[in-house]
Amino acid sequence: WISGGSTLHRRVDLRDGAARLLALPADLVNAQIDTLIERGEWVARELGGEAWVATAANAQAEEEIADRLAQRLARAATIEPVTEEAVAASNPSLKPDQVRAVALALSQIQAAIVGAPGTGKTHSLSTVLAQCQDPNSTILCAPTGKAAKRMSEMTGRDAQTIHRTLGARPDPKAPNGFRFYYGVKQTEIWDDVAHELVACAPFTPLLPASLVVVDECSMVDTALFLSLLRALRDDCRLLLVGDQHQLPSVGPGALLRDLRESGALPVAELTEIKRQDPGWIVTNCHRIKNGEAPLFPLPEKDKAQDTYFFEVESSADISATITDLVMRRLRVTDWAKGAEPLGQIQVLSALRERGSLSVKALNEAIGEQRRQRGEVKPVAGFKFGVGEKVICTRNNYQAGVLNGE
């Protein structure tokens, strides 16, 4: 259930599944479920004549999200609608489905633009941003540092992670090790002179924005989305951009999918591939989404492409092939010419530390090659050398660096 984004579970399925997993009697598991409900840690719901259960935190979060979205929709009449004719006239390069998406986004207090890779989400978003009267009151954010960086590159505007946008600060007492500034009642304020928190009259700061755009919103979980809603002003428009078939959230919930199916906000879907030469990556994304096997060009027959498949069997040969691709073959491609070594290259592995094909092992193999070439200069007493490519793997709010950056 959880891997599918469910936060509400059929009680009988949860009971039987837990009993099998823990090798315990079903009656004992059932009694424990009753205890959790009595304590208020879980809640029970009756749906379709069946008993369902959820954690209290998830149930309360989803109910508050629904309430807040409904309240925002009730205020939608205060926004002056933008016609499709006006959008088409402002940007003749837009396709009909993009025109509809932009008009929807500009006419609603909250909306979503969804679509698979290559369908024109970024171009549509850029058109929306160009129509904003006050670009300084627009906030762009994404769930991860990588997504925020990509969003900034594609739109030409600053973008941050949602956590940074909400003013996340370290707090050992908080469940996730941090607390937000925006959207949360504050009883202390930072004194720049004394460099400490001092007591103040309670207040709830809201984001200084008339438009908040969230990219890659399929990766946003229930709790984070609620925190964002709490931080929005009543007149602030919200635009979600993403693809429900992309990476799901790590935390509970399937936000984009559920919002789309619920009708809680208007959705514009882009379906037509807009790129003249979409390439194999975009083509295969659509094939996989449609239940079709991906296609791979043959290196010896086809022209240079963006996707190749190398059939290699042994771990040693796989490691050698990856290292050769990174150190030699990929560097002569058009998109890598003139770039810093490894600047446009990243290796993904399903394993973190175990085995010769793990992230750790491949980093060591590639790192050794780079040191031999003089691309990385070791520094005594430090793990990383000058010229090393580094990615942050955990949040460090005191240093101002977040996971994925």
Side-chain angles (χ1 to χ4, degrees):
W1 316 293
I2 295 176
S3 62
S6 297
T7 55
L8 188 68
H9 311 300
R10 188 180 287 105
R11 176 166 178 158
V12 64
D13 292 339
L14 180 61
R15 180 201 65 193
D16 295 344
R20 287 194 303 270
L21 181 64
L22 301 173
L24 292 173
D27 291 345
L28 182 60
V29 175
N30 207 41
Q32 184 60 34
I33 293 175
D34 287 334
T35 299
L36 291 170
I37 294 173
E38 291 171 3
R39 290 178 183 171
E41 298 178 32
W42 286 15
V43 295
R45 295 287 187 267
E46 191 78 19
L47 298 173
E50 294 184 301
W52 296 70
V53 293
T55 66
N58 284 338
Q60 292 166 4
E62 292 197 337
E63 289 169 357
E64 185 176 344
I65 287 174
D67 289 342
R68 287 181 176 272
L69 290 176
Q71 292 169 11
R72 290 174 57 80
L73 276 177
R75 293 189 291 269
T78 61
I79 296 180
E80 184 177 351
V82 177
T83 65
E84 294 182 13
E85 291 76 13
V87 172
S90 68
N91 190 345
S93 66
L94 293 174
K95 298 295 183 181
D97 58 347
Q98 291 176 303
V99 170
R100 290 190 292 270
V102 172
L104 181 74
L106 293 173
S107 303
Q108 301 291 334
I109 189 72
Q110 56 201 22
I113 298 177
V114 301
T119 55
K121 295 191 298 293
T122 299
H123 189 40
S124 301
L125 173 57
S126 296
T127 305
V128 171
L129 297 177
Q131 298 292 323
C132 295
Q133 296 180 353
D134 184 7
N136 294 325
S137 68
T138 299
I139 291 178
L140 307 184
C141 57
T144 67
K146 185 72 173 178
K149 182 179 179 181
R150 181 63 175 168
M151 188 182 191
S152 181
E153 293 171 348
M154 297 301 290
T155 63
R157 301 193 182 206
D158 291 336
Q160 295 181 325
T161 62
I162 299 175
H163 285 78
R164 183 167 290 180
T165 297
L166 295 177
R169 293 176 291 177
D171 185 356
K173 298 179 181 179
N176 296 320
F178 61 85
R179 59 174 171 161
F180 294 126
Y181 174 75
Y182 290 103
V184 179
K185 181 181 289 186
Q186 305 291 327
T187 57
E188 296 176 315
I189 193 169
W190 182 258
D191 189 323
D192 289 328
V193 177
H195 296 287
E196 63 180 3
L197 288 170
V198 296
C200 67
F203 71 106
T204 302
L206 301 177
L207 290 170
S210 60
L211 171 64
V212 171
V213 181
V214 183
D215 198 11
E216 299 292 356
C217 58
S218 67
M219 294 190 287
V220 180
D221 63 29
T222 301
L224 184 57
F225 186 62
L226 175 58
S227 296
L228 179 64
L229 287 180
R230 288 172 173 171
L232 300 181
R233 298 184 329 210
D234 288 346
D235 63 343
C236 180
R237 287 181 293 161
L238 175 65
L239 176 59
L240 306 180
V241 182
D243 177 5
Q244 69 183 63
H245 301 288
Q246 293 282 5
L247 286 174
S249 62
V250 175
L255 177 76
L256 184 58
R257 181 197 69 193
D258 291 347
L259 287 177
R260 182 178 180 180
E261 294 178 355
S262 69
L265 77 169
V267 177
E269 183 174 10
L270 305 177
T271 57
E272 177 188 347
I273 298 178
K274 307 300 190 299
R275 300 172 190 172
Q276 292 183 350
D277 182 11
W280 290 95
I281 293 177
V282 171
T283 298
N284 283 329
C285 282
H286 286 263
R287 290 184 63 86
I288 293 171
K289 185 186 70 144
N290 296 331
E292 301 171 333
L295 300 175
F296 299 105
L298 300 176
E300 66 271 16
K301 293 184 178 180
D302 294 339
K303 64 178 182 179
Q305 299 286 358
D306 59 5
T307 302
Y308 294 104
F309 176 75
F310 295 89
E311 189 169 352
V312 187
E313 296 187 0
S314 72
S315 296
D317 288 343
I318 294 173
S319 178
T321 299
I322 293 174
T323 302
D324 182 56
L325 284 166
V326 171
M327 299 302 300
R328 183 178 64 87
R329 299 178 68 175
L330 288 177
R331 296 194 183 194
V332 300
T333 55
D334 291 338
W335 50 263
K337 289 179 180 178
E340 292 293 326
L342 290 189
Q344 301 294 319
I345 302 172
Q346 188 164 2
V347 180
L348 303 181
S349 172
L351 306 172
R352 186 184 297 273
E353 294 187 352
R354 300 175 61 180
S356 60
L357 300 178
S358 64
V359 170
K360 179 181 179 181
L362 291 173
N363 275 337
E364 291 174 350
I366 296 170
E368 179 59 29
Q369 291 282 326
R370 298 194 68 214
R371 283 188 290 272
Q372 291 179 9
R373 286 193 182 186
E375 295 177 358
V376 174
K377 299 179 181 179
V379 179
F382 289 88
K383 179 178 180 180
F384 300 110
V386 176
E388 200 92 58
K389 187 174 183 180
V390 178
I391 186 170
C392 182
T393 58
R394 66 180 63 182
N395 295 330
N396 187 331
Y397 294 97
Q398 292 177 329
V401 182
L402 301 181
N403 184 19
E405 296 182 336

